[in-house]
Amino acid sequence: MGGVHGRAGPPPEDLTAKARIRDAALRMFADQGFEATTVRGVAEAAGVSSGLVRHHFGSKEALRDACDTYALDQLVTIKEQALLGGRLADPAFLVAVHPTVLLMQRYVARSLIDGSAAAAALFDRMVAVAEKWVSEEHLAGSDDPRAFAAALVAMQAGLLALHGHVSRALGTDILSAGGQVRLGRALVDIYSRAVISPEQAEQARAAYDQVLARFPAPVPATAPVPATAGPERRRS
């Protein structure tokens, strides 16, 4: 029987094995990093052979790519369900998704700090998703939604990349359940309150206009090239 796209898909047991491999890899990458994780170790954790890992993903790099996509998709889906789908008011929903959010945040934190091309690509995809999301929902309130999205992602990702320092300041690991909840409450307080008044915001914009008039930004010879193509390249 054909799949959702009208093509014959792999047997259910293969889909299950592929998901087990991805989930095992995601946890191992989150716990010990990409370099320390081996295909054999992932295979053992997933209860499959190394050959099956390579059959489904081809290489460790491709497996990481799949984990990047899955982690980002999971976080975006949960955020959309919470904020746009009205599930934020449902305590049972937050309890149910909390373990997933925690694991995906641990994975993203580990990925972003390793300085690899894959980490740069993940950040670029996060910015692209954020820019699309705030533009479609008219949340940016800015004439530069790209900068808005990049700043928003950097602030959120920075907390994960600096999780050791933030955890030390709070006296609790922010990648643990209790620490994640404490930090989440703080973020709710920040996002729900205006730090400066509308008048101060206008004054700041006017000041930046003066700076730009005095020191014009150089025009790049070519458009900046992202680390990889955007998230759409994986959509099928």
Side-chain angles (χ1 to χ4, degrees):
M1 185 175 178
V4 293
H5 298 293
R7 298 175 298 178
E13 60 269 21
D14 284 349
L15 291 175
T16 301
K18 188 173 184 179
R20 289 206 315 270
I21 293 167
R22 180 205 62 215
D23 291 350
L26 197 147
R27 290 183 181 279
M28 293 183 73
F29 290 153
D31 288 341
Q32 61 191 36
F34 179 75
E35 293 299 330
T37 299
T38 64
V39 170
R40 176 176 295 181
V42 171
E44 292 177 354
V48 301
S49 67
S50 297
L52 191 58
V53 175
R54 298 192 183 279
H55 166 74
H56 281 301
F57 296 98
S59 66
K60 190 172 77 165
E61 290 74 16
L63 177 56
R64 174 180 179 162
D65 201 43
C67 289
D68 283 354
T69 300
Y70 181 74
L72 183 56
D73 285 347
Q74 287 288 294
L75 290 172
V76 170
T77 297
I78 291 171
K79 180 174 288 188
E80 288 180 342
Q81 289 175 337
L83 299 180
L84 306 182
R87 303 297 300 277
L88 192 61
D90 180 6
F93 171 76
L94 297 180
V95 170
V97 301
H98 181 77
T100 299
V101 171
L102 199 58
L103 174 59
M104 299 309 151
Q105 287 185 336
R106 287 176 48 234
Y107 175 85
V108 171
R110 174 71 73 167
S111 183
L112 288 177
I113 63 177
D114 70 3
S116 68
L122 177 60
F123 184 86
D124 289 350
R125 291 200 296 273
M126 291 167 67
V127 172
V129 168
E131 182 182 13
K132 182 174 183 291
W133 190 68
V134 298
S135 297
E136 288 180 350
E137 298 304 320
H138 308 289
L139 300 177
S142 169
D143 58 0
D144 192 347
R146 179 70 175 183
F148 183 98
L152 182 63
V153 170
M155 288 188 292
Q156 294 178 326
L159 288 170
L160 298 177
L162 296 174
H163 71 272
H165 296 295
V166 180
S167 297
R168 185 180 65 255
L170 298 183
T172 183
D173 184 359
I174 63 169
L175 297 181
S176 68
Q180 195 269 344
V181 168
R182 185 179 179 191
L183 184 62
R185 288 180 180 273
L187 290 173
V188 168
D189 288 342
I190 292 171
Y191 291 142
S192 63
R193 300 176 185 179
V195 178
I196 61 177
S197 68
E199 293 78 11
Q200 290 173 318
E202 287 302 318
Q203 292 168 358
R205 293 189 186 97
Y208 281 126
D209 288 343
Q210 291 296 318
V211 171
L212 192 58
R214 178 66 178 83
F215 304 101
V219 178
T222 58
V225 179
T228 64
E232 289 79 8
R233 70 185 179 91
R234 291 189 183 81
R235 309 294 184 190
S236 59

